[in-house]
Amino acid sequence: MDLKPIFQNVLDGQADAVLSGVKAALAAGMDPNTILNDALIAAMEEVGCQFEEGELFVPEMLVSARAMQAGLSLLKPHLAATETKSSGKVAIGTVKGDLHDIGKNLVAMMLEGAGFEVIDLGVDASPDAFVEAAQNGAQVIGMSALLTTTMNNMGVTIEALKVAGLRDKVKIMIGGAPVTEEFAKSIGADAFAPDASSATRVARQLIA
Ligand code: B1M
């Protein structure tokens, strides 16, 4: 089945059309991961490129994000079903100052599907919110950032965990478009995951 209409409808912000396209693709037996990567995520990448080139503006980007979230809601049970069960408690949030949550939600969804208990700290999550989650028994602290200006708040959060005497009690995993393995090392995180499915693998390794 051709995924171009779903891609285009995300780009155009047509949530209803994205919903029916994803429904049809699933009914046709398409792999949910293919629909996710080749249509939904690919379309958001294109949105980003067009934004950079000044062809799209924030309101259009937001409408595209909502259309993508609509498609994602349909894929959620199918993506979760492809993972095997594990256990552990992960607190995940988008760091202070950052409102991007699509990637973070995707990671949370995959972790839940893999049997983790997920505490979602939402967006614009302060260092204190992560500290509180660690105090409440989270074994892994997951931080997401999409802006080069907010990724530094990952390091600030790690410092807050140190000050609270909790750094050695948790593992820290970070991710998001501008984040790299090298950056993770430089701020003293335990692991970097480039995408949602590797985040699940990494969380399992960290807890093991
Ligand atoms: Co924003 N935005 N945005 N935006 N936005 C980017 C990030 C940008 C790259 C666009 C661009 O210029 N090309 C750019 C950042 C540039 C930079 O920092 N150098 C940008 C900008 C500038 C801004 C504003 C400043 C624009 C403005 O107001 N002038 C503003 C900032 C607001 C704020 O946060 N304070 C802003 C606002 C918005 C919207 C609200 C309109 C909307 C967000 C809606 C929402 O999230 N609910 C939005 C969107 C949609 C984007 C783009 C187009 C798409 C992001 C996305 O959802 N990607 C984005 C361009 C781009 O990334 N190509 C852009 C899909 C998502 C599945 O991928 O989040 O990378 P991603 O997640 C992946 C991996 O990174 C990884 O797994 C996920 C799945 O595989 N991952 C993890 C993520 N978190 C992880 C955590 C982990 C492990 C893996 O462990 C814990």
Side-chain angles (χ1 to χ4, degrees):
M1 189 183 156
D2 184 11
L3 290 173
K4 277 198 203 97
I6 303 178
F7 176 98
Q8 191 58 45
N9 283 318
V10 171
L11 210 54
D12 296 341
Q14 301 293 327
D16 288 345
V18 171
L19 274 175
S20 44
V22 170
K23 214 179 273 179
L26 286 171
M30 281 206 79
D31 176 2
N33 285 297
T34 305
I35 304 171
L36 176 68
N37 292 319
D38 296 357
L40 301 184
I41 291 182
M44 290 314 292
E45 274 163 18
E46 179 58 24
V47 168
C49 291
Q50 293 196 13
F51 175 77
E52 260 173 58
E53 284 157 16
E55 288 167 28
L56 284 184
F57 299 95
V58 173
E60 284 111 328
M61 205 149 79
L62 197 51
V63 176
S64 288
R66 289 201 185 123
M68 182 197 177
Q69 303 254 30
L72 206 53
S73 66
L74 272 187
L75 287 183
K76 183 175 177 175
H78 300 271
L79 292 169
T82 60
E83 287 292 333
T84 51
K85 296 285 169 193
S86 172
S87 64
K89 194 167 174 179
V90 183
I92 184 167
T94 306
V95 294
K96 185 90 192 140
D98 199 322
L99 303 177
H100 295 85
D101 68 356
I102 297 178
K104 184 266 294 169
N105 292 345
L106 207 47
V107 174
M109 185 196 296
M110 296 296 271
L111 287 168
E112 273 174 8
F116 287 94
E117 183 188 340
V118 176
I119 305 159
D120 190 343
L121 302 175
V123 295
D124 192 23
S126 66
D128 285 352
F130 288 100
V131 168
E132 199 181 321
Q135 280 161 345
N136 291 334
Q139 296 156 283
V140 176
I141 295 293
M143 289 184 269
S144 179
L146 264 285
L147 299 172
T148 45
T149 47
T150 58
M151 59 197 275
N152 292 325
N153 287 333
M154 294 174 153
V156 173
T157 302
I158 293 177
E159 286 307 313
L161 286 162
K162 280 185 192 159
V163 169
L166 292 162
R167 177 63 190 95
D168 296 338
K169 298 195 166 51
V170 292
K171 296 288 182 187
I172 297 172
M173 169 170 71
I174 65 170
V179 178
T180 60
E181 184 90 55
E182 204 179 21
F183 177 74
K185 281 194 187 124
S186 76
I187 61 167
D190 295 301
F192 158 73
D195 55 47
S197 48
S198 53
T200 303
R201 252 196 327 276
V202 168
R204 276 204 202 100
Q205 285 162 5
L206 288 175
I207 284 182

